[in-house]
Amino acid sequence: MVGLTSAVGLVGFLSEPDPALQSFALHRLNEDIDLLWPEVSASIGKIEELYEDEKFEERELAALLASKVYYQLQEYDESMQFALGAGKLFNLDNPSEYENTIIMKCIDTYIALCNMHNPTSPASSVNQKPPQLTTSFAGTANGSANTSASLASPTTPFSQSHLPSKSLLSRQDSNTFDPSLPGGGNAGVVGAHPTPLILERSVLKNLQAVIRRLFESCYANGEYRQVVGIAIEARNLEVLREAILEASKVESSGKMKAAAAVNAGKGEELMEYVLDICMNVVQERGLRNDILRLILDLLNDIPNPDYFSIAKCVVYLGQHSMASNMLKQLVERGDGKSLAIAYQISFDLYDNGTQEFLTKVMDELPETDESKTEEDKPMGNGSIHHEDKAEQAKETDPLLAELGGANGSIEPTTMVSRTRERPASEEEKKAFASIRHILRGTKSIELNLEFLFRNNHTDKHILNKVRDSLEARNSIFHTGVTFANAFMNSGTTNDSFFRENLEWLGKAVNWSKFTATAALGVIHRGNITQGQKLLEPYLPKETSMSGSVYSQGGSLFALGLIYTNHGTHVLDYLREHFNKATEEVVQHGGALGLGVAGMGTGSEQIYDDLKNVLYTDSAINGEAVGLSMGLTMLGTGNIKALEDMIQYAHDTQHEKIVRGLALGMALVMYARQEAADELINGLLDDPDPTLRYGGIMTIALAYCGTGSNKAVRKLLHVAVSDVSDDVRRVAVMSLGFVLFRKPGSVPRMVELLAESYNPHVRYGATMALGIACAGTGLHEAIDLLEPMMKDSTDFVRQGALISLAMIMVQQNEAMNPKVATIRKTLQKIIGDRHEDAMAKFGCALALGIIDAGGRNCTIGLQTQTGNLNMTAIVGMAVFTQYWYWFPLTHFLSLAFIPTSITGVDQDLEIPSFKFHSNTRPSMFDYPPEHEVKAEEAPEKVKTAVLSTTAQAKRRKQAKERQQRRESMSMDVDQTPTTPKISSAEEEKMDVDGETAVDDKEEEEKKAEEAKEKKKEKEKVGYEMENMSRVLPSQLKFISFPGERYQPVKKATGGVILLHDTQPDEEKTLLELKVKKAPAQPAPGAAGPSGGPVNPLTPGGVPNPYTPRRASEETGAAAGAAVLNAVDEDDDDGEEAPVPDEFEYVSDGEGEDE
């Protein structure tokens, strides 16, 4: 049949009274509507009338035709409504472009309707408003200090006042009505009653039917992830539950189709997918909590649940009761595999939980003999604050109440209800004691220390070159060498550099001495068995006040670094010395040590001690005290603490104190997300730039790792609008904290900022790249940073060098070909006499970072299981403050994570076994050590023969030969034997040893060829010993082919529990190499037999008569007397001898006499 070329006749039939003619016209127009729609659109009103006529039999066909006309006119809302009115005539089975468009519109409308009925609830509590801070944040410039901020500004979208994005995938916001937005563009706005679309009841019913048909189609094809995405965006948890249960049913029935198996996989994989979406995509904390609770309920209903997913949820939700019940259930099973799973969960809980959370878990475990004996001792989380628990709960209830209920608490849903308590057996008591051992962190720290010690690959030649290239008498250079040494040897306990360079160490004065002493804490981080003994010579003494106050303060800071986030047995000690200290420097170090060791404890006693010192209004210790108050209350959101800090920040006149308090407030709001919006808006509207700086840091820490568009937009707005360079710099830098889970997006975002006219913005761009892309070796980030190493501003070059080292950490030439070039550039800059001091300082830090932890550590802001790494994020945030205060540079060591696989059996012993890496050995090998030429005797200077001398010699030889010929009176003419030399060769200088150069070039070529041949011969796949270095990018190539030891979960790096399938057979254990002997006493420590022996002569040269055995003495002990020596300019120290008197002789006086 020939197609229609005009719709005039058929359109006329629509006006006929005969229904048969009308039906005929509708059928014919529907077949060719793609071509005829321009003519039909003029009569769209008539078609609508036919649809509205309920007596007309073909009204659904009229609706379909009207829908297609509106689709062509790009009126998609009307098109969707008429398509829904078409009922079953709207075909979903073979969708074309029209059907796909309408389906997408239906999904958007469904999401909007669901969001209207499920509005956003604050994360702090379902039934409460966000907390109001009773501070001096009264009326601000734009009146947006509270949650009723202006809706018109796209740069102030925080709290409930912001317009929600179109989806959780963060599409562009709009302040106009848009029915495609969740809730019609008004969902979540306080007092608003959104109406996404006014649909008839029948149309709504058809909409639900279409969505249901879509879901059924997805279930049939195994596309469960599509349903999960729609359900999460629509906040419809019932659909989400249904999708997960459907996947589990299909899996259990064994009737899954091949296509479904490919697209969806098992129910467990779908659960992992939902968990990943929940943690990495969902940006609203309230919705995230609801989804996690749903996952927990579903996991508990499964006969053999995924305990590791449960552990991930309970840590985020803070459900310590569920964690302890899960551990008790696994231990009571009694079999070896369940015990191994319990231990593995304990390791995961320690890696991801706060000290406060871990204490609550341990308190709910059955008591053992060990726990009874340690009741009076502070646990690994500083449990000294428990007596104030009731009062503390009242202060923090509004912010900590995150899980629903009238008082913010949630009733934990335990997996197994055990009504009869039975006493634990001896084996169970032993297991619970081991779990406590793990939850305190002692076992993890011990294993990491062993790994870093036995695999230490620190290149001393690089460190020595840094030392030789930087003048030690310059304080910034001496400090730079100290940091390079600390980072290179972080956690390895290798402090030999101090022992071998006592003369260099003796040049440290004042705060350089403080920093050098604190470096021992970085080097011995985790050495909890000997840490306090090592620092004994430096720590403040009660009997005498001898020694430098700088080394005493540094030693308290070092003690805190050793026990980072693990305040076992040292919090009381640090509190005691902090309260007794009268010197500001000692208080400074004590405050930093208390903050690091008591991180996240929420201890009211520590907080009160710090606050008392803060009120003395001392600038030196005030900055450290403000910072430590935030560290102690890390992530608690304690309103009382915030009010105290805000009030004093407005009262004091010291900028250093304000800066410390500003950063402290940011730490209190760590990971609080929407709950921090009130504080953020208030700080950003403050006229003091230092408090605005704190507001930006609050955004960085409250929204760290969330990728929140609202946070990113606020940071970008401040980065280009604030009048303070400091605030603009930190705004750009904070992008790295918010987006570190999406490192690939950061280079594109800061590309233009990296070319800004403002050097502070350029510096912020470099640090944002370093923070977000740390350890990734991302090529886009490196391409941006390479030209910035030659920037005209010294501190921009400094930031570029540090960031490059962060990105290149643990990279080799096989992984990133630019590593060798960048390392050579760092070596060149550090030795360049004409380079600026700030750039050389940054280069020294970079050389330490790129070889962090003996080349066995990377920078990881998230844990191996994907949660936020609280310690690392805090360490990185405080490290960025080195801009103002160099000793804070040591905090970067908190972000260093050992990259290893450490297999432990159910007895928590380290068996000797091998696992397989399906790569070439060179792919993830250590980078080659720096080549240093062997010391040789001075070479004889090559003699240069000038061309004139050579010509004179040749003339003389020719003359002698001529004389010999004449004397022999020979008749035969002889031709001269001297070869003719061209003028070019005559002018050329003769140099001895040219052949040696050629030989050297040939040797280099041969070495390169041998290297290439070796690479070609390398086989893919090799065996690795337990406790070997395994990089994060290498994990996907790791397998465990052995029959005896099998991991209880997929290898994620770190400690992995192994199930011993042959427990009756004898096992071989790895020999531990960490020194068990007690630390050697320092020669500088006063002993019972007399005073200390000074290892330095008055001239600063090592004393040859100092009784020291290098093979036994540690670097900490060797440097004790040097660092404890009182500086000449100290008030309490001995004055330097007065020089002999002498007379001045002016010009001309001597001549007169």
Side-chain angles (χ1 to χ4, degrees), residues 1018-1066:
E1018 263 189 327
K1019 294 181 179 179
V1020 175
Y1022 63 102
E1023 301 296 322
M1024 302 182 72
E1025 185 65 41
N1026 188 15
M1027 204 170 266
S1028 295
R1029 186 184 85 148
V1030 178
L1031 305 187
S1033 55
Q1034 188 179 1
L1035 287 170
K1036 56 188 175 183
F1037 302 106
I1038 297 298
S1039 59
F1040 293 80
E1043 296 181 358
R1044 180 167 183 179
Y1045 295 106
Q1046 292 296 323
V1048 296
K1049 73 167 187 175
K1050 184 180 178 182
T1052 56
V1055 181
I1056 296 181
L1057 262 293
L1058 303 170
H1059 175 50
D1060 189 355
T1061 58
Q1062 302 169 3
D1064 298 332
E1065 296 186 10
E1066 185 178 356

Side-chain angles (χ1 to χ4, degrees), residues 320-378:
H320 50 85
S321 298
M322 180 170 285
S324 58
N325 286 332
M326 181 169 55
L327 293 173
K328 284 188 282 188
Q329 177 198 6
L330 288 169
V331 170
E332 289 170 0
R333 284 187 179 180
D335 60 295
K337 187 170 184 178
S338 297
L339 188 60
I341 293 175
Y343 289 158
Q344 183 69 68
I345 290 173
S346 301
F347 279 112
D348 291 347
L349 291 176
Y350 173 74
D351 287 339
N352 299 301
T354 63
Q355 296 191 50
E356 186 178 16
F357 174 80
L358 296 174
T359 297
K360 292 177 180 177
V361 175
M362 286 188 286
D363 289 344
E364 294 179 359
L365 292 176
E367 290 188 357
T368 60
D369 296 337
E370 179 186 355
S371 63
K372 290 179 182 178
T373 57
E374 296 189 3
E375 281 180 355
D376 298 330
K377 300 179 182 179

